């Protein structure tokens, strides 16, 4: 069971949040050092973006990198599979008890089978939806998953601008599900994290905002403070 960092009342219910650095924006030549610095800064979750050059037009990193991260870090690993045919990759990306696996609804031929496969591994399961995907397509799966990931950029690249209109998807789902973890992924910074929180998001992925800073603790503290601004 994962214990959240901070509690705060939002309307009539309690929404707890986490900030998840995406190592897509890390210095890969010094990846180990970067991850240890994130741990020292107080982060507890690592967002791990897997891109296959097919579902998205970019290739990032895969199982070997995951294996060495898991061996050397205590962070919870939030794996975001941006791959075609996710069913084929699920077992390969299951490396620890301290992780979740998220696949894209658009990439799965049979989302139910993917969910079942992840849950049978005793792993937390997330489903991500790209900006053009109608959030209502998630309705059949909401009771079966641990996390919905609402993409606030087109998947494939770090450093893009936040799409504020995606937050309508967040508030729609939050209206239906008070306890579901809702992660927003893409373009998060200190100027928009509060808007996402107010709409009901509670896990926030931030890549370029964190890694462009030379003081990860300061950017972590800044983001945490900005959630309630
Ligand atoms: C986009 C990735 C995101 C993203 C986060 O395809 O899933 O995790 O890179 O990075 P920023 O914060 O730079 O958008
Ligand atoms: Zn991601």
């Amino acid at each position: 069971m994962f214990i959240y960092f901070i509690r705060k009342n939002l309307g009539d219910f309690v929404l707890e949040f986490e900030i998840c650095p995406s190592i897509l924006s890390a210095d890969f030549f010094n990846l180990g050092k970067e991850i240890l610095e994130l741990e020292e800064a107080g982060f507890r979750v690592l967002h791990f973006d897997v891109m296959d050059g097919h579902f998205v037009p970019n290739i990032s990193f895969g199982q070997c990198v995951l294996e060495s991260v898991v061996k050397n870090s205590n962070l919870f690993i939030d794996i975001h599979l941006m791959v075609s045919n996710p069913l084929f990759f699920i077992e390969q990306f299951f490396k620890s008890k301290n992780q979740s696996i998220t696949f894209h609804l658009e990439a799965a031929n049979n989302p139910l089978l993917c969910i079942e496969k992840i849950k049978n591994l005793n792993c937390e399961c997330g489903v991500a939806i790209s900006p053009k995907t109608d959030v209502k397509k998630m309705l059949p799966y909401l009771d079966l998953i641990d996390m919905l990931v609402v993409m606030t950029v087109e998947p494939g690249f770090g450093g893009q601008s936040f799409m504020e209109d995606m937050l309508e998807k967040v508030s729609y789902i939050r209206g239906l599900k008070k306890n579901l973890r809702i992660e927003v992924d893409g373009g998060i910074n200190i100027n928009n994290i509060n808007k996402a929180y107010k709409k009901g998001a509670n896990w926030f992925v931030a890549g370029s905002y964190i890694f462009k800073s030379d003081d990860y603790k300061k950017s972590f503290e800044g983001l945490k403070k900005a959630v309630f601004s």
Side-chain angles (χ1 to χ4, degrees):
M1 172 66 101
F2 199 72
I3 300 158
Y4 293 92
F5 214 88
I6 284 175
R7 293 171 167 260
K8 184 91 179 175
N9 284 323
L10 183 85
D12 60 344
F13 66 98
V14 173
L15 193 59
E16 303 160 314
F17 76 85
E18 277 291 343
I19 293 169
C20 319
S22 161
I23 52 163
L24 191 60
S25 302
D27 169 7
F28 293 146
F29 194 54
N30 290 302
L31 189 58
K33 189 169 156 265
E34 292 269 65
I35 292 173
L36 294 178
E37 278 178 25
L38 291 172
E39 280 190 47
E40 273 163 32
F43 289 103
R44 303 161 15 131
V45 176
L46 200 66
H47 185 79
F48 194 94
D49 283 311
V50 180
M51 301 178 177
D52 67 350
H54 188 262
F55 176 67
V56 290
N58 197 9
I59 295 175
S60 58
F61 35 73
Q63 301 89 325
C64 306
V65 176
L66 177 63
E67 213 166 285
S68 73
V69 171
V70 163
K71 256 188 227 150
N72 294 291
S73 160
N74 294 317
L75 294 170
F76 180 88
I77 319 281
D78 170 25
I79 298 176
H80 179 193
L81 293 181
M82 285 165 274
V83 301
S84 299
N85 192 11
L87 190 63
F88 176 76
F89 288 102
I90 286 165
E91 270 166 336
Q92 298 181 49
F93 280 90
F94 181 66
K95 301 277 183 205
S96 150
K97 287 193 176 115
N98 201 28
Q99 69 165 87
S100 57
I101 297 179
T102 293
F103 66 90
H104 266 262
L105 187 66
E106 307 83 11
N109 294 327
N110 188 337
L112 276 179
L113 257 187
C114 293
I115 294 169
E116 198 179 83
K117 195 155 191 178
I118 296 170
K119 297 303 290 181
N120 283 345
L121 292 167
N122 240 331
C123 180
E124 289 191 3
C125 175
V127 180
I129 49 169
S130 295
K132 289 186 192 74
T133 301
D134 184 348
V135 68
K136 293 203 169 103
K137 290 198 172 149
M138 281 304 303
L139 294 178
Y141 310 112
L142 294 178
D143 288 337
L144 308 173
I145 61 176
D146 300 288
M147 171 167 80
L148 169 68
V149 179
V150 173
M151 293 304 298
T152 42
V153 297
E154 280 298 337
F157 298 92
Q160 303 179 76
S161 300
F162 178 69
M163 299 165 80
E164 196 173 331
D165 48 336
M166 293 301 124
L167 297 182
E168 292 314 312
K169 296 181 182 179
V170 173
S171 57
Y172 174 73
I173 297 295
R174 182 56 74 208
L176 300 173
K177 292 264 156 210
K178 299 211 162 177
N179 296 316
L180 181 67
R181 184 188 311 154
I182 304 180
E183 180 175 270
V184 280
D185 184 7
I188 296 289
N189 59 42
I190 47 164
N191 299 314
N192 54 33
I193 196 166
N194 59 332
K195 294 179 190 159
Y197 181 73
K198 280 185 191 134
K199 293 283 186 179
N202 62 330
W203 276 34
F204 306 96
V205 176
S208 43
Y209 179 78
I210 290 166
F211 284 99
K212 76 173 186 237
S213 141
D214 49 16
D215 184 339
Y216 298 158
K217 192 169 169 55
K218 214 166 131 194
S219 50
F220 186 36
E221 296 304 323
L223 283 165
K224 280 197 288 187
K225 213 170 133 205
V227 168
F228 305 120
S229 64

